[in-house]
Amino acid sequence: MSGLLAGKRLLVTGVITDQSIAFSVAKLAQENGATVVLTGFGRMSLVERIAKRLPEPAPVIELDVTNTEQLASLADRVREHVDGLDGVVHSIGFAPQSCLGGGFLDAPWEDVATAVHVSTYSYKSLAVAALPLMSPGGAVVGLTFDATKAWPVYDWMGVAKAGLESASRYLALHLGQKGIRSNLVSAGPLRTMAAKSIPGFQQFEDAWTERSPLGWSLTDQEPAARACLALLSDWFPATTGEIVHVDGGYHALGAAM
Ligand SMILES: NC(=O)c1ccc[n+]([C@@H]2O[C@H](COP(=O)([O-])OP(=O)(O)OC[C@H]3O[C@@H](n4cnc5c(N)ncnc54)[C@H](O)[C@@H]3O)[C@@H](O)[C@H]2O)c1
């Protein structure tokens, strides 16, 4: 088997459509020699249907990252398909509508708590659940949206992403002694199901397409997926707690949108 991820066994969360960033990660990973196991949330038959569109149909395991029983049994359920894991991809985000679209001042704590549970704390939960299957050289990779700035309409999801970026650094700290890395890819706006649920997302689309130094495609998930593959590979052996921007260079500009 040849390719960047030859022989690697990956657990990829977050596939819901073939536009999902996770779908591109899974597809590219298989094309580069990896064995992929997917997890699906909620609409399992839909995820199973999408999984059949991969170059190699991938097994799908049910995982709601807020469900402690499902997290506790995850390693055993993954073991039915692969004998260990070299990489875990966290491609999960959710915030109730009250938390997005300008509702920052009014969103109730219960909704913010849901956003943080699913989008932030789950990064740690997923890594810990997969840990029994991992060994030195392993990697955890997640997806963020630049949380160093306050964006219009992103509101509490932005706060959740700031937490995710910090959680990744803490995971790097706590898993470093086991030889396991934790890194994030900070992607520009992409037209996925999650993105479409953000009222006013068009503002991001306009800003990125007009201003990104390299230009930006809203429908091409592959650049972000490629960065995930690189971070999962053996080519970043001494990099952890890092955030790689895959945003056409937008983050480097002097003024926000
Ligand atoms: N699309 C963008 O513009 C963009 C930009 C930067 C970062 N991201 C991040 O990329 C990641 C993937 O999102 P996407 O854009 O591919 O959208 P998507 O809608 O395709 O994927 C989001 C996934 O989260 C899953 N999910 C939600 N709640 C869950 C739960 N409780 N347990 C398990 N899974 C759950 C959904 O099932 C879905 O598969 C997210 O973290 C998102 O914030 C997206």
Side-chain angles (χ1 to χ4, degrees):
M1 185 75 80
S2 63
L4 187 68
L5 298 182
K8 295 217 183 280
R9 302 150 299 173
L10 305 183
L11 185 67
V12 178
T13 66
V15 170
I16 189 72
T17 70
D18 57 9
Q19 303 302 307
S20 295
I21 297 170
F23 182 85
S24 287
V25 173
K27 177 171 178 286
L28 218 54
Q30 287 185 343
E31 289 167 357
N32 282 275
T35 300
V36 173
V37 177
L38 299 179
T39 71
F41 166 62
R43 298 158 72 184
M44 288 300 287
S45 57
L46 174 60
V47 181
E48 276 156 13
R49 203 158 67 236
I50 302 291
K52 293 199 177 86
R53 294 189 196 159
L54 289 168
E56 293 283 324
V60 186
I61 290 170
E62 186 167 22
L63 180 66
D64 172 351
V65 278
T66 64
N67 182 317
T68 45
E69 288 88 38
Q70 288 184 13
L71 285 164
S73 63
L74 182 72
D76 285 342
R77 291 184 294 136
V78 171
R79 229 181 250 114
E80 289 170 16
H81 304 283
V82 285
D83 55 2
L85 285 175
D86 304 289
V88 175
V89 178
H90 180 284
S91 190
I92 293 169
F94 173 76
Q97 283 294 300
S98 65
C99 295
L100 298 159
F104 184 81
L105 297 179
D106 298 319
W109 164 241
E110 293 71 28
D111 287 355
V112 173
T114 299
V116 170
H117 196 178
V118 177
S119 314
T120 309
Y121 185 76
S122 70
Y123 188 67
K124 188 274 321 179
S125 309
L126 176 67
V128 169
L131 207 52
L133 297 168
M134 298 186 78
S135 49
V140 184
V141 173
L143 274 304
T144 188
F145 186 76
D146 188 0
T148 60
K149 298 171 183 73
W151 301 103
V153 311
Y154 207 47
D155 292 309
W156 285 104
M157 194 65 198
V159 179
K161 288 300 190 192
L164 174 69
E165 294 180 3
S166 181
S168 176
R169 289 187 285 269
Y170 276 95
L171 205 62
L173 171 66
H174 287 279
L175 298 188
Q177 61 204 5
K178 297 185 191 299
I180 296 168
R181 297 167 289 126
S182 166
N183 293 291
L184 299 179
V185 170
S186 182
L190 293 162
R191 280 189 191 145
T192 62
M193 193 181 271
K196 285 176 196 155
S197 75
I198 303 172
F201 189 74
Q202 175 85 37
Q203 293 177 55
F204 293 107
E205 300 191 344
D206 295 346
W208 250 260
T209 41
E210 281 164 27
R211 301 195 53 211
S212 295
L214 286 174
W216 182 251
S217 167
L218 300 160
T219 53
D220 184 6
Q221 276 69 330
E222 190 166 320
R226 281 184 177 233
C228 292
L229 257 66
L231 290 167
L232 291 164
S233 79
D234 296 332
W235 287 89
F236 278 103
T239 298
T240 194
E242 189 56 273
I243 300 175
V244 177
H245 292 85
V246 182
D247 64 349
Y250 194 95
H251 74 283
L253 302 181
M257 59 195 259

